[in-house]
Each structure stands twice: as structure tokens, then as C-alpha cells.
Amino acid sequence: MTGAEIRAISRELVFAAKNASNGAAHTGMMPERLPAAFGSARAEAPPVSPSADMIFISLPPEGGKTDQAALDAIDAELQRVAEGHGLVRISRPSASGVVRFDYTYRGQRTHSVHIVTPLLTHDSPSFQPVSSSDRAKLAIIIDDVGYDRGAADQLMQMPFALTVSVLPHLAHSSEIAEEAYRRGFEVMLHLPIESASGEKAEPVQLYPGMPADRAVRWMAEMLETVPHASGVNNHQGSLGTSDSALMNEIMPALRDRELFFVDSRTTPRSVAMDAARRAHVPSAGRDVFLDDDESIAAVNRQLDLAVREAKERGTAIAIGHPHAETLQILGEKAPEIAREGVDLVFASQVVR
């Protein structure tokens, strides 16, 4: 099946979903972006077969819960279209709130379908990233999303405002970013930048001394794999964020795309925020790391510290990772944080 034929069927599937839900479903589709090789080793040969299309269907709630009748109608209509084209449905691991399956044609994978249903918040803090002017604001960014599909699924269940920072060019980068956006989270690009130690380097990362046009192009290509990114924070980067030339090269590109920047502050020598301010990019710096020590007790202490920082200064940014311990503490303490007069907000609400 050719790429054009796959895309034509995608349009039929999207139309069928909208029709089955009486127009209530929100839909989107994009070609699946597989991890790419970069630099001198970059592969030039085209793939043997066209990539599958990813189809996302968001179903609004009905009376505060999933509209099961609409979900069933959508499922039936998708299957009708698929069978009409000889497609075979293959179930994929799903999670609460997200149903996933693939379609294949004579062994060729043609479509990856994601049906995203609403977060349920019956006894959770309101999933509203709105803060009144007289309350402190705490933005929590979850980094390194994209390595682990299961960890991302756990993250998706958090019923309050979180900012999800997704690494580019991983097997699940695009689908996780899209699902996070459709669940209501804010999405950022977790931009790989060279560290001073050189350990755990990503396959592609920005580095001091690279040509300016290459830095901007690579960052643009990373953003293509993280749809809906509204901002950027650095992954590692203790060497790169200390380099004025590199930071001065990428900040105007962020400004032109209307993206904000959060300095993860992996080094005290970082000049990233200075470069952002010169380029008129809304920016802020990380105040607290939540889980350098992943133990429950340590994460709990760090979250308390982040809350105190927010109350004393009005705003704060905490960065954590999708560890089970981190997500457990966040889920347990979110109601308490709200009662203390601190609103959990998106990172975009505390940059300036």
C-alpha cells in the first residue's frame, strides 16, 4: 500500500469517527516519525515501505465521564472502514484513558490509532491550570519522557496541571506528546545539549562549536517529533548551556517560533537565561530537583521545598522524572498543596 493510499484511508477513518460522534470527537493525523540517524551517519536511503499514519481521536466527556455510547459507535465505524479496505486490527497495550490499536494490510502496518478519553477527577484537584493573582504558583515539569511507554501511561493519570517534557527522536516521542496534549497537559521539547561529563549522550544533541545553521536545523527537526511543544528546556547541557555562542544561536529561533525556555540549571555556569532575555524569549530557571534521590522520603522533602519556594517568592519551578516514587508523591500531595494556597500550573504561566 502506498503512502497516498494510506493517507486516503486515514481521512476516511477520521471522517467516520467524527460522524459516529455527531461531530463531538476531535481528530488529528500525522505520519509516524521513526527515530532518525543524524550527522555524517545520517541515512539517505528511503524506507522500504511508507510509514504508518498515526490517528488521534479525542472524545469529550459526557456528564463528567466517558461517553461510552459514542466510544462504541466510533469503534464500530472505524472497524467498518477498515474491513472495507482489507485492514486487520491488531490490539496494542493500552492504559486508562487511552485505547490503542494498529491496522495492517497483508502484513504491512498502515495505521496506529489512539482513542483518548477524558481524565476522571471525581475526588481529585480540579484539572484547571488557572491561578488567581493572590495565590502562589508552582509549575512541575516531568523530564525525560519518551524512553518508557509504561511510565508515560502512569504520568497520564495525574489529574492536575503538569508540564510534560518529551525527548525527541525516540520511538514513542510523537505519540506520547500528542496524547499528553490531548489529555490536557502542557508539552515541552526536552532539548538534548552536550554535558561537561559527556556521559549518557543522546544520539543527537547540540554542542558548542557546531555551525549555527546546523544547531537551528537540528532543533527544528527535534521539534517536528514533539508535536504541540509550547516551550523548551535543556536535557543535560552543563557544557552547552555554558557556551554563549551556542545559546545565542538557538534563542532567536525559539523567539521566532514563539516558544518559551526553562533553564534546567544543570550547571551554575549556565548563560542560557541571559541569552534568552537578550533574544526576548520568555524564560525562567528551575528552582528544585524533585528526585535526584528517588526514595519516597527524599521526593517528599523536595516537593515540600518547592512548595515553600513558591509561597515565599510567588512562583517556583520543580523538575522531576516519571519515576514511580515521584508520581506517587505528586498524586498523594496535590490536594494538600492546593489547600496550602499554592496552585499547580503550567510552566508557561511562570516564565516572564
Side-chain angles (χ1 to χ4, degrees):
M1 190 174 286
T2 67
E5 289 170 331
I6 291 172
R7 180 49 60 95
I9 296 172
S10 296
R11 294 191 185 98
E12 286 188 51
L13 292 168
V14 164
F15 179 80
K18 282 186 170 293
N19 189 53
S21 65
N22 294 319
H26 299 282
T27 60
M29 60 183 180
M30 67 181 76
E32 189 173 54
R33 296 181 177 91
L34 299 177
F38 270 69
S40 59
R42 191 170 189 177
E44 297 295 338
V48 175
S49 60
S51 63
D53 270 359
M54 292 196 296
I55 296 174
F56 294 88
I57 301 166
S58 302
L59 187 60
E62 178 69 24
K65 59 183 180 179
T66 300
D67 186 343
Q68 189 62 45
L71 182 60
D72 292 343
I74 289 172
D75 190 75
E77 276 296 283
L78 293 179
Q79 194 59 19
R80 178 189 64 78
V81 172
E83 289 176 353
H85 291 281
L87 304 184
V88 176
R89 177 168 169 165
I90 308 294
S91 295
R92 291 177 55 195
S94 298
S96 176
V98 184
V99 177
R100 307 184 190 100
F101 53 88
D102 293 339
Y103 285 127
T104 65
Y105 178 76
R106 297 181 179 176
Q108 175 191 0
R109 184 165 167 272
T110 58
H111 298 85
S112 174
V113 180
H114 307 245
I115 304 177
V116 183
T117 55
L119 285 167
L120 301 178
T121 58
H122 300 299
D123 51 7
S124 302
S126 176
F127 191 85
Q128 293 294 327
V130 177
S131 179
S132 60
S133 59
D134 60 342
R135 287 171 62 90
K137 303 176 180 65
L138 173 61
I140 298 177
I141 300 173
I142 302 298
D143 274 356
D144 290 358
V145 178
Y147 286 125
D148 187 329
R149 176 76 257 191
D153 284 341
Q154 288 184 312
L155 175 62
M156 297 289 182
Q157 307 311 310
M158 297 293 101
F160 46 82
L162 286 175
T163 300
V164 180
S165 193
V166 181
L167 284 160
H169 294 299
L170 300 179
H172 301 293
S173 298
S174 294
E175 69 177 57
I176 288 174
E178 185 75 36
E179 287 179 9
Y181 174 78
R182 289 175 180 272
R183 296 306 297 276
F185 296 112
E186 184 166 68
V187 176
M188 294 177 67
L189 167 67
H190 199 28
L191 176 65
I193 302 177
E194 188 175 8
S195 68
S197 66
E199 295 179 1
K200 298 181 181 178
E202 294 298 315
V204 55
Q205 60 183 8
L206 306 188
Y207 56 89
M210 70 187 304
D213 61 339
R214 182 183 299 172
V216 172
R217 185 177 73 252
W218 280 14
M219 187 170 65
E221 290 171 345
M222 292 179 200
L223 283 162
E224 288 179 2
T225 72
V226 182
H228 306 293
S230 57
V232 169
N233 74 319
N234 55 290
H235 173 61
Q236 300 180 0
S238 56
L239 185 64
T241 58
S242 303
D243 186 82
S244 295
L246 178 61
M247 294 298 99
N248 289 335
E249 287 161 2
I250 67 172
M251 292 303 170
L254 296 183
R255 179 196 61 216
D256 293 345
R257 289 174 173 265
E258 298 184 341
L259 300 174
F260 63 86
F261 179 79
V262 172
D263 188 351
S264 300
R265 287 181 171 163
T266 55
T267 173
R269 296 184 295 275
S270 174
V271 296
M273 282 186 61
D274 291 338
R277 297 282 164 77
R278 285 194 297 271
H280 304 290
V281 174
S283 59
R286 183 269 310 161
D287 297 294
V288 176
F289 273 130
L290 294 177
D291 48 17
D292 278 345
D293 178 345
E294 297 176 25
S295 68
I296 290 287
V299 175
N300 191 55
R301 286 194 300 270
Q302 290 300 99
L303 184 57
D304 286 344
L305 174 60
V307 171
R308 288 200 301 272
E309 288 280 329
K311 293 170 76 172
E312 290 173 4
R313 297 172 34 235
T315 64
I317 295 177
I319 291 181
H321 301 83
H323 305 313
E325 297 83 356
T326 304
L327 298 182
Q328 177 184 329
I329 290 297
L330 288 176
E332 291 174 355
K333 299 200 70 168
E336 177 183 328
I337 291 171
R339 288 193 295 269
E340 290 187 32
V342 177
D343 290 332
L344 295 177
V345 300
F346 293 143
S348 59
Q349 293 175 265
V350 299
V351 297
R352 59 183 189 279

